[in-house]
Amino acid sequence: MSFPDRNNPYSFDEYLQWRNSVNYYLDDEFFQRVVRHYSGSEWDRIHNELIKLSERVSYRWRDFAEAIAWPEKRPYIMHFDGHNHRIDRIVRPAQTELMEQEVFSEALFSSKTLPWLKLAKMFLIYQNGEACIACPLTCTEGLVALLEKFADTPDTKRILKHCKEGQHGDFAIGAQYLSEIQGGSDVPSNVLEAVRDGKTWHIYGKKFFCSATHADYAVVTAKPTDTEKVALFVVPSWLPGDKEREIRNGYTIDRIKWKMGTIELTTAEITFNGARAYPLGPLDRGVANVVGIVLTFSRLTVGLSAAAFMTRSVREAKKYAEFREAFGLKITQFPMLTNQLQWIETCAMRTTAAAFKLYREFLHLEGGLKGGLVSNESPMTKKKRFAVRELIMLQKITASWDSTDVIRMAMSVFGGHGVMEDFSSLPRLFRDSAINELWEGPRNVLLTQIHRDFQRARTWYAPREFV
Ligand SMILES: Cc1cc2nc3c(=O)[nH]c(=O)nc-3n(C[C@H](O)[C@H](O)[C@H](O)COP(=O)(O)OP(=O)(O)OC[C@H]3O[C@@H](n4cnc5c(N)ncnc54)[C@H](O)[C@@H]3O)c2cc1C
């Protein structure tokens, strides 16, 4: 019961004080245990590095991520400069560019960076949502893996070095353009044309979903003239010396899409009109290599980022529930709400644990990544490789699905405040999460692929054994 009070003193400040000072790594005992469990003898070094990173990711980059999410900060495109030169400049807020430069300077894909450190850092970084960081990070990781396998010319080796180790302190950013207007899942239906002119290749046609449009290099799928097989290319956004002059490499960015989530990152429609392209791998193995190598990383990232989005949402919802009262009780005293909190916490923990466990299996794959299903291996290795491939798809489906459910429920803990974009980051994480369900293979497509894989493997790996 309460009497009227025209100067209602209610304040969220106590909750905000906690939220402003929370440290993503130091205040998360579960995640610290996960890191300790998986990093083994490297734990000391990784732990210390994470303490340092967490200081930036939990405060400075968190605030940048919030600031750039406002509608008026949306990136936009300037097609021409003031002197009638076509430039197709992606204009982004200064905070985005600064944060990108700081995150990429972590040299996550350098051979000097320990794999577990990279993974744990990515988990912390993803707690800030897409923020024009998550997609470019995973695209760069996929590009590096592809180039490590297939870079065999001075041009492709230079691109590899730029992405992996940096050039004069500048770390290049990757993108991946597969989807066309007639099909995103159906990559074999691509019609972008790759034309060979002596020793060089040029591409012609349109790509319809091009995220991280500001990137330095993109993995692009295209069909060589008069063939039905998709090949893989790496395409620089600018040829050497042209970036400063804003002369793009034979393509135009026609339009930036207006989308529901990941809004800090542009997704564009692009027309290639003779862009210089460098082939990667055998020309008839493009689909196998893009799925087996590039999409593998993107799908692992969806699993990891789902775990990170959930972790942050659950942490903030739990604390809010401890703070908020209704009907004279702390809302944690309502058993239905407590059950919901327990469920979302379990989901966040199991997704985090699964992401790390699957990554260990992936790291231990004999001979590393291979495109498609490989036949000439020992039965044990063959089964292991098969299992990891299927688990990556299953994880992508499950984690992205759970993430949207968990964030929706976490939002409900805040009642009406849960959907307010200026009350917490949860609505933004929810919108980003809905995107995670769709890109890198929607649910049905992956389930169909899993079904097809099991049919192909049925003589040497029974589904029951896999389960
Ligand atoms: C925000 C955003 C950014 C994106 N950025 C990029 C990018 O940078 N690069 C890029 O290449 N792509 C990008 N995409 C595209 C994305 O990868 C595709 O949207 C996705 O692959 C699905 O393709 P589609 O949209 O053509 O849908 P479709 O392939 O037309 O699918 C439509 C529906 O049919 C179902 N379906 C399709 N095939 C099957 C099947 N065999 N069995 C059962 N069901 C099936 C699907 O599950 C889906 O429900 C982006 C998408 C979004 C939303």
Side-chain angles (χ1 to χ4, degrees):
M1 294 291 280
S2 57
F3 293 105
D5 182 350
R6 64 178 61 185
N7 300 311
N8 187 345
Y10 194 85
S11 156
F12 294 108
D13 287 355
E14 183 194 324
Y15 172 68
L16 293 180
Q17 215 169 14
W18 165 82
R19 200 178 69 182
N20 287 340
S21 61
V22 80
N23 183 304
Y24 296 177
Y25 182 62
L26 290 178
D27 292 334
D28 188 340
E29 279 178 30
F30 177 74
F31 180 57
Q32 288 188 47
R33 289 213 314 272
V34 170
V35 172
R36 185 162 205 152
H37 178 77
Y38 284 99
S39 56
S41 60
E42 291 159 347
W43 176 76
D44 237 8
R45 195 174 140 199
I46 291 181
H47 179 64
N48 288 325
E49 290 271 336
L50 291 179
I51 292 174
K52 276 194 263 166
L53 184 98
S54 192
E55 192 63 29
R56 268 177 301 159
V57 80
S58 314
Y59 310 115
R60 181 177 166 84
W61 296 344
R62 176 202 64 192
D63 292 347
F64 283 170
E66 295 309 316
I68 64 175
W70 286 87
E72 61 269 29
K73 292 280 182 71
R74 274 197 182 204
Y76 62 92
I77 186 159
M78 248 175 86
H79 287 297
F80 287 88
D81 69 7
H83 305 102
N84 203 33
H85 301 121
R86 179 103 195 201
I87 52 172
D88 288 346
R89 182 192 300 167
I90 306 289
V91 186
R92 300 177 299 152
Q95 290 106 321
T96 309
E97 296 196 352
L98 194 55
M99 177 163 58
E100 175 178 276
Q101 196 233 324
E102 291 177 8
V103 171
F104 275 81
S105 298
E106 292 289 318
L108 292 178
F109 314 118
S110 160
S111 44
K112 294 183 209 98
T113 303
L114 298 168
W116 287 114
L117 179 61
K118 174 193 74 174
L119 195 77
K121 281 189 172 181
M122 282 165 105
F123 178 79
L124 294 176
I125 292 167
Y126 293 157
Q127 290 192 31
N128 287 335
E130 166 53 52
C132 199
I133 292 290
C135 164
L137 270 184
T138 193
C139 287
T140 309
E141 188 176 27
L143 176 60
V144 166
L146 198 64
L147 287 164
E148 276 178 332
K149 206 165 164 64
F150 296 119
D152 55 0
T153 63
D155 286 314
T156 49
K157 286 180 184 165
R158 175 179 46 79
I159 297 173
L160 173 61
K161 183 166 179 295
H162 193 187
C163 296
K164 203 175 160 186
E165 310 296 346
Q167 240 170 34
H168 314 297
D170 173 56
F171 287 82
I173 293 168
Q176 53 197 45
Y177 307 152
L178 285 68
S179 302
E180 297 184 5
I181 192 165
Q182 74 283 359
S185 323
D186 186 4
V187 179
S189 76
N190 271 191
V191 292
L192 195 86
E193 186 180 2
V195 179
R196 186 178 209 150
D197 177 12
K199 282 191 174 158
T200 62
W201 287 85
H202 298 270
I203 52 173
Y204 297 85
K206 286 180 189 283
K207 287 286 180 188
F208 209 59
F209 284 91
C210 305
S211 296
T213 331
H214 62 284
D216 299 284
Y217 306 100
V219 174
V220 178
T221 48
K223 281 182 183 151
T225 310
D226 294 331
T227 66
E228 285 188 322
K229 295 271 183 177
V230 171
L232 260 186
F233 296 86
V234 58
V235 180
S237 298
W238 301 271
L239 291 174
D242 282 350
K243 186 172 182 179
E244 297 68 26
R245 297 187 295 152
E246 297 190 272
I247 301 172
R248 290 198 177 260
N249 168 26
Y251 70 92
T252 52
I253 302 173
D254 307 331
R255 204 175 83 84
I256 303 282
K257 289 179 184 295
W258 184 255
K259 54 184 169 158
M260 161 187 168
T262 66
I263 59 160
E264 308 80 16
L265 169 90
T266 54
T267 299
E269 296 161 17
I270 288 184
T271 301
F272 291 98
N273 190 17
R276 183 77 200 273
Y278 306 105
L280 292 175
L283 291 174
D284 60 348
R285 297 278 299 160
V287 173
N289 286 329
V290 81
V291 174
I293 300 174
V294 181
L295 293 188
T296 295
F297 281 103
S298 313
R299 288 169 184 169
L300 281 167
T301 282
V302 169
L304 190 71
S305 63
F309 292 2
M310 287 190 234
T311 298
R312 168 133 181 228
S313 308
V314 170
R315 180 171 61 230
E316 296 189 4
K318 260 184 80 178
K319 200 68 183 181
Y320 185 78
E322 287 165 22
F323 156 82
R324 185 75 166 175
E325 291 176 10
F327 301 97
L329 296 170
K330 289 280 181 197
I331 60 171
T332 41
Q333 289 175 272
F334 298 114
M336 273 193 287
L337 193 116
T338 307
N339 280 344
Q340 289 166 343
L341 285 172
Q342 276 170 1
W343 180 75
I344 58 178
E345 187 167 31
T346 303
C347 281
M349 293 195 326
R350 76 168 179 225
T351 312
T352 307
F356 274 72
K357 184 165 183 189
L358 182 53
Y359 190 71
R360 181 177 62 188
E361 305 296 303
F362 169 73
L363 270 184
H364 291 170
L365 272 187
E366 208 177 291
L369 273 179
K370 305 224 160 103
L373 292 175
V374 187
S375 50
N376 56 345
E377 296 188 305
S378 73
M380 268 268 284
T381 312
K382 212 161 126 180
K383 279 187 183 173
K384 185 99 212 154
R385 192 178 302 287
F386 179 84
V388 171
R389 175 185 158 95
E390 304 313 307
L391 285 171
I392 288 173
M393 286 190 274
L394 280 170
Q395 178 192 233
K396 195 273 166 185
I397 298 171
T398 315
S400 61
W401 209 259
D402 283 353
S403 173
T404 335
D405 284 346
V406 163
I407 301 171
R408 189 193 306 110
M409 191 160 282
M411 279 158 62
S412 78
V413 172
F414 290 81
H417 303 295
V419 294
M420 297 303 157
E421 299 263 359
D422 51 3
F423 195 89
S424 80
S425 318
L426 271 59
R428 176 168 62 87
L429 296 181
F430 179 73
R431 290 185 281 104
D432 290 353
S433 191
I435 305 286
N436 263 350
E437 285 182 18
L438 294 175
W439 64 15
E440 317 309 345
R443 183 185 178 89
N444 292 348
V445 172
L446 295 182
L447 284 175
T448 306
Q449 182 64 51
I450 291 169
H451 184 249
R452 202 178 305 133
D453 285 354
F454 274 102
Q455 281 184 324
R456 281 162 70 185
R458 68 182 183 276
T459 53
W460 50 271
Y461 200 179
R464 190 173 294 117
E465 192 187 341
F466 170 83
V467 169

